[in-house]
Amino acid sequence: MVTRLVRAGAVLLFFFFAGQVLGPGSQAQAKRIAAPPQPLRFCFAPLGSYDSELLALARQGAEYLYGAHTELLPASKLPRAAYYKPRKRYRAELLLAHLESLLPSDRCDIIVGITSVDISTTKGSVKDWGILGLGSIAGTTGVVSSFRMIRKVDRATQKRRMISTVNHEIGHVLGAPHGGAPGCLMNDAQGSVKTIDTESGLLCEDSRKLIEAHIGRALPRIETFDWSRFL
Ligand SMILES: [Zn+2]
């Protein structure tokens, strides 16, 4: 009888602990902890004239490097206020302010404007310096122009420049300043578009760590950028 009671107690204890480990509440908790974070969400906004093929590749390149979901917003006009008449081009920082107003923050974490008109910003003592792109560091907006990347090069080079430039500006928006050795995605182009042609297309370790700290999740691990997917 004593033995049976002890055994019954042991069985009850077993169920008690089993309930603690396997009960529905604990399962739900384990599921929540194990659930992967939501992917990043990037909105792409065509501004004025743009190259639709390069835009589509830019989206694919961003999805590949950042593991993001992308959404294409309706095309819209370039804001008149951003036009810089003396040089007949658009001021990139004013385009960023405009893009901020277009960001559907319930659906997208950041917004990237794409255009084929020339864009510029102030660089050091140069008041109006033509650029490929601009991104607000640890902000929500970036803008890229194909104007300076398509001259006198073949289509494959144009595509590669577009993907690299968009991913570079997104890197800024996700918290990385310029950095890394030559060949790294976040290395400063130093004003020359040709610098981009020698880049790997990948974030180097220092920039990747800064971005992961900023966004609070890991980025896809890519050993070699597979250009054959895009070119
Ligand atoms: Zn940059």
Side-chain angles (χ1 to χ4, degrees):
M1 191 65 182
V2 171
T3 312
R4 274 184 189 170
L5 277 174
V6 169
R7 274 186 190 159
V11 167
L12 279 172
L13 274 173
F14 170 77
F15 279 114
F16 176 74
F17 283 114
Q20 292 295 300
V21 176
L22 301 171
S26 300
Q27 263 181 336
Q29 197 176 27
K31 219 173 189 178
R32 273 203 302 278
I33 292 165
Q38 292 293 311
L40 294 164
R41 301 163 305 166
F42 301 160
C43 269
F44 281 77
L47 292 176
S49 60
Y50 67 100
D51 181 324
S52 56
E53 188 188 21
L54 293 182
L55 168 57
L57 284 169
R59 288 179 64 192
Q60 290 168 29
E63 288 167 2
Y64 174 68
L65 188 71
Y66 294 105
H69 282 177
T70 68
E71 178 182 329
L72 183 61
L73 298 179
S76 62
K77 288 181 181 174
L78 285 151
R80 272 171 180 263
Y83 189 58
Y84 184 64
K85 210 172 174 186
R87 302 297 295 271
K88 296 190 174 105
R89 51 196 186 191
Y90 286 80
R91 294 288 298 183
E93 69 280 356
L94 296 177
L95 294 179
L96 294 187
H98 174 66
L99 286 161
E100 186 85 56
S101 71
L102 298 180
L103 173 66
S105 51
D106 56 329
R107 304 202 306 275
C108 292
D109 302 306
I110 69 166
I111 183 168
V112 182
I114 302 288
T115 186
S116 57
V117 302
D118 199 12
I119 62 173
S120 60
T121 194
T122 301
K123 185 180 166 92
S125 59
V126 184
K127 191 183 172 201
D128 196 63
W129 175 271
I131 55 172
L132 297 166
L134 187 68
S136 55
I137 294 179
T140 54
T141 54
V143 64
V144 170
S145 161
S146 57
F147 187 87
R148 287 168 185 274
M149 60 178 77
I150 60 173
R151 291 180 294 191
K152 297 179 186 171
V153 290
D154 60 21
R155 190 64 174 161
T157 305
Q158 294 174 1
K159 291 174 178 175
R160 189 176 166 132
R161 287 175 174 180
M162 185 62 160
I163 292 166
S164 283
T165 306
V166 167
N167 280 341
H168 175 98
E169 300 309 337
I170 290 175
H172 283 320
V173 180
L174 298 182
H178 286 145
C184 297
L185 185 65
M186 297 313 295
N187 188 250
D188 190 355
Q190 301 288 357
S192 169
V193 68
K194 288 180 182 165
T195 310
I196 298 167
D197 301 337
T198 59
E199 277 175 4
S200 67
L202 291 175
L203 292 161
C204 293
E205 191 67 9
D206 52 350
S207 302
R208 194 174 50 73
K209 279 185 178 166
L210 284 172
I211 292 173
E212 288 181 341
H214 181 67
I215 64 177
R217 71 198 81 179
L219 293 173
R221 291 288 189 272
I222 302 170
E223 293 295 319
T224 309
F225 198 100
D226 182 8
W227 288 105
S228 69
R229 289 168 172 245
F230 309 102
L231 306 183

